[in-house]
Amino acid sequence: MNTLTFKILPSEVSNDRQVRIEIDGQDLLGSGFLGIDPSRFFRQKNLFRGGEILIGRCDCGFEGCCDYVADVEISENKVIWNIKTKRFEFDEYEYTDYIHEKGDRFIFGKFR
């Protein structure tokens, strides 16, 4: 199984903050993309029910311009992210708990 972590960092280009997704300790987006604003990222219902999620935006800062997406699959005891030609698998319980913890901390103003 893969390990999913997030960093919330400032984005000078878009004058907001961004969720930088790390899988197994490696930044998923690289230098060509910005992360999604945390309030937008953590409110995506497809994170938990499957379907397409937005994980990155063009380095110009605008959503809709070269968006970076993942297709989420929910299966028994695991969550799968398909991104282009790569496949990442996460333990369902760890994934759900981690996203809820980070999202709740950010949304309620405790994430720094």
Side-chain angles (χ1 to χ4, degrees):
M1 295 277 172
N2 298 102
T3 303
L4 178 68
T5 55
F6 304 119
K7 289 185 178 177
I8 309 298
L9 301 174
S11 171
E12 293 178 21
V13 172
S14 55
N15 197 31
D16 61 6
R17 293 195 278 182
Q18 60 177 319
V19 176
R20 298 301 297 192
I21 298 168
E22 293 184 349
I23 297 180
D24 301 330
Q26 299 295 312
D27 187 300
L28 181 65
L29 300 175
S31 62
F33 290 90
L34 298 175
I36 303 305
D37 183 270
S39 62
R40 166 93 162 85
F41 179 80
F42 289 113
R43 284 188 172 96
Q44 295 182 91
K45 293 181 181 178
N46 287 352
L47 283 165
F48 304 107
R49 65 179 182 199
E52 190 173 275
I53 61 168
L54 185 60
I55 59 173
R57 54 190 162 154
C58 176
D59 62 3
C60 71
F62 292 100
E63 288 183 24
C65 177
C66 300
D67 289 344
Y68 201 116
V69 298
D71 183 50
V72 178
E73 296 177 33
I74 309 296
S75 69
E76 190 171 324
N77 299 324
K78 64 183 172 183
V79 176
I80 301 163
W81 282 18
N82 293 300
I83 304 169
K84 298 183 181 184
T85 60
K86 295 181 182 177
R87 180 180 177 95
F88 302 99
E89 296 184 3
F90 310 104
D91 176 87
E92 178 184 19
Y93 300 106
E94 290 175 9
Y95 172 92
T96 301
D97 288 346
Y98 185 73
I99 292 177
H100 279 299
E101 174 193 342
K102 295 300 180 188
D104 288 350
R105 287 178 64 198
F106 179 81
I107 291 168
F108 293 110
K110 298 176 187 169
F111 203 98
R112 302 198 199 305

